[in-house]
Amino acid sequence: MKKILILGSSGSIGVNTLNVVRKFPDKFKVSGLTVASNINLLEQQVKEFNPEFVVVTDKSKARELKSKIDNLCEVLSGCDELVKVSKQRDYDILLGAIVGFAGLSPTLEAIKRGKRIALANKETLVVAGEIVTKLVLENNAEILPVDSEHSAIYQCLVGENLNEVEKLILTASGGPFLNKEKSFFENATVDEALNHPNWKMGNKISIDSATMMNKGLEVIEAHWLFGLPVEKINVVIHPQSIVHSMVQFVDGSIKAQLGLPDMKLPIQYALTFPERLQNDFKRTDLPMINTLNFFEPDFDRFECLKLAFDAIKIGGTAPCILNAANEVAVDKFINRKIKFSEISELISKALDKIENHSDPDIETIFECDKITRELVSSLK
Ligand code: NDP
Ligand code: MG
């Protein structure tokens, strides 16, 4: 029986994780759940999964929940408690499904304890990939990717030698604006941008898919997870989202992992690796799907993808600047303060204006995140 601490249990990945846990009551036990403020869903989750504790980072929401379910489990509140439970409580696997930079601190604590981290929160690797991968090695921790592309690559690499990899091929659906002209981006609405053709996800990653920043963040994530130079990481557009990613080896052979666009499978794999457990999830019917297409990405229309490649090539704090600027810009777009086309403009400005630090320590990363947010918040 593995005990799981789920950070971000009310989100798209959190809910899907509980959908997996529900199927295997003799394999998994939920030790703790955390949310920012969605206490209505958390209350239902507590009643069903009976965790020992929950954390609600919004303190007034935590008080509200406490008054309702005090007798069922311990209710903790605030961001400090999020880090504390990761550092001190009893669990085997941390499922990191908080969105954004906020996922970094609790993940670092789990790594320091040598835990398995089933990592959905790609921003952790984007902003602090070098520090994180070094800590993983030092503490004998494990990162199992939940992101479907990285899960696919992980699965393709089982039994293989990393030195024999020629390149990683990350597939990208292209998002809702794949076939739109650049001029369309000027007036693209929030609802249009949130309307992803294949995946149902949280708001931030849905906007990142529309700008293709999501794929850029995934290139950086893959660079750190698999220890390969960015020159060996390619992106191809694959609108059907059936081939989740591929690895090409030095003899020219390509291995791919296929499946329906459903996060339950990569989540289950990250929880059970190296085992594969029988499940009753819907199977991929290839004759029904019939056609799989692949295209080159357009770096001119999807500037965020190019900015991400540039940032990882520059290295140092550039990916942290990229990430923080993106988080603030996406938030501004969702709140109708800027146009869709201004997201990439703000990120580009931040990368130009903020000084890059090579080989940053963790304090420098936190400082860089803070000053980038301040700058981008103040920009139009
Ligand atoms: P959601 O927005 O659906 O969920 C985010 C979760 O984190 C919620 O539980 C939310 O609580 C909580 N949360 C948000 N902000 C904070 C904060 N500042 N501090 C603490 N908790 C917070 O996101 P997703 O599930 O879509 O994505 C989660 C992560 O997984 C992201 O990093 C994303 O890139 C990655 N990912 C997601 C995929 C998907 O299919 N959704 C696929 C691959 C990767 P509340 O509900 O109370 O606000
Ligand atoms: Mg992905």
Side-chain angles (χ1 to χ4, degrees):
M1 186 74 113
K2 297 273 187 221
K3 286 186 158 191
I4 311 180
L5 167 55
I6 304 174
L7 306 182
S9 66
S10 54
S12 157
I13 294 290
V15 166
N16 267 314
T17 302
L18 290 171
N19 289 339
V20 173
V21 167
R22 186 181 290 116
K23 299 271 180 184
F24 302 103
D26 53 336
K27 295 272 180 194
F28 304 120
K29 158 100 186 75
V30 174
S31 68
L33 299 171
T34 83
V35 305
S37 62
N38 188 348
I39 53 168
N40 291 338
L41 183 53
L42 182 59
E43 184 179 350
Q44 289 171 31
Q45 293 176 341
V46 167
K47 287 177 178 158
E48 181 178 355
F49 293 97
N50 201 21
E52 290 150 32
F53 62 90
V54 296
V55 182
V56 182
T57 54
D58 179 319
K59 292 191 175 170
S60 72
K61 291 284 181 189
R63 276 194 296 278
E64 208 181 307
L65 182 71
K66 208 172 161 121
S67 67
K68 288 186 189 166
I69 62 154
D70 205 19
N71 54 336
L72 293 181
C73 79
E74 198 177 345
V75 180
L76 304 160
S77 68
C79 298
D80 293 349
E81 287 296 337
L82 199 59
V83 180
K84 238 172 153 178
V85 294
S86 173
K87 191 172 176 174
Q88 295 171 350
R89 293 296 181 123
D90 178 28
Y91 61 89
D92 301 298
I93 304 175
L94 181 99
L95 192 301
I98 287 177
V99 58
F101 189 88
L104 175 62
S105 293
T107 308
L108 289 174
E109 295 306 332
I111 296 172
K112 288 183 202 156
R113 295 174 72 189
K115 299 287 183 190
R116 169 174 293 197
I117 291 103
L119 189 65
N121 176 251
K122 60 192 82 183
E123 294 90 346
T124 285
L125 281 167
V126 170
V127 300
E130 189 155 11
I131 296 168
V132 166
T133 45
K134 200 162 153 249
L135 265 184
V136 166
L137 278 179
E138 282 169 10
N139 293 286
N140 216 7
E142 261 183 312
I143 295 189
L144 267 290
V146 165
D147 216 344
S148 56
E149 295 76 2
H150 306 74
S151 176
I153 291 169
Y154 200 96
Q155 294 180 55
C156 291
L157 286 174
V158 170
E160 301 288 354
N161 183 344
L162 261 181
N163 296 327
E164 293 170 357
V165 171
E166 196 163 80
K167 62 178 178 180
L168 306 180
I169 305 169
L170 288 179
T171 53
S173 69
F177 300 157
L178 174 61
N179 297 314
K180 299 288 185 199
E181 298 290 329
K182 204 170 176 178
S183 56
F184 170 89
F185 294 167
E186 189 76 3
N187 295 312
T189 67
V190 174
D191 288 343
E192 285 167 333
L194 286 175
N195 188 21
H196 196 283
N198 305 342
W199 299 94
K200 186 92 204 70
M201 310 180 286
N203 284 354
K204 193 260 180 182
I205 185 175
S206 296
I207 302 298
D208 285 349
S209 299
T211 61
M212 285 198 73
M213 176 57 90
N214 183 48
K215 210 49 53 181
L217 300 178
E218 290 183 357
V219 168
I220 303 174
E221 182 186 9
H223 165 70
W224 292 116
L225 266 178
F226 304 110
L228 289 167
V230 67
E231 291 72 23
K232 289 191 174 188
I233 305 174
N234 287 24
V235 172
V236 297
I237 304 292
H238 167 50
Q240 293 87 1
S241 299
I242 296 295
V243 176
H244 292 308
S245 276
M246 297 172 260
V247 178
Q248 181 169 314
F249 295 91
V250 288
D251 59 359
S253 176
I254 296 178
K255 275 168 92 173
Q257 187 263 343
L258 282 71
L260 295 171
D262 182 340
M263 291 307 295
K264 291 200 296 300
L265 182 53
I267 290 168
Q268 179 181 315
Y269 189 80
L271 297 179
T272 66
F273 174 83
E275 259 188 285
R276 285 188 187 272
L277 297 187
Q278 165 100 52
N279 61 31
D280 61 359
F281 304 156
K282 196 168 170 219
R283 296 322 196 218
T284 315
D285 183 342
L286 287 174
M288 263 291 278
I289 292 161
N290 188 273
T291 309
L292 299 176
N293 299 111
F294 301 93
F295 312 101
E296 290 286 349
D298 183 343
F299 289 94
D300 178 47
R301 274 186 307 137
F302 294 100
E303 287 165 6
C304 285
L305 182 58
K306 172 150 192 328
L307 289 171
F309 267 98
D310 292 347
I312 189 62
K313 282 180 191 157
I314 296 165
T317 45
C320 180
I321 299 169
L322 174 96
N323 179 72
N326 182 55
E327 285 190 33
V328 177
V330 167
D331 191 60
K332 282 188 167 192
F333 172 66
I334 290 175
N335 288 300
R336 277 94 175 156
K337 295 200 174 106
I338 60 169
K339 293 178 178 175
F340 183 78
S341 54
E342 287 174 314
I343 297 175
S344 61
E345 288 171 26
L346 287 186
I347 300 165
S348 182
K349 274 186 196 159
L351 284 165
D352 283 346
K353 287 194 173 175
I354 295 173
E355 190 192 349
N356 186 44
H357 291 269
S358 57
D359 204 15
D361 57 18
I362 198 70
E363 288 75 28
T364 310
I365 297 287
F366 276 90
E367 182 60 20
C368 172
D369 177 74
K370 185 167 159 265
I371 59 172
T372 308
R373 281 169 198 274
E374 284 166 3
L375 174 80
V376 181
S377 300
S378 72
L379 293 173
K380 158 68 185 91

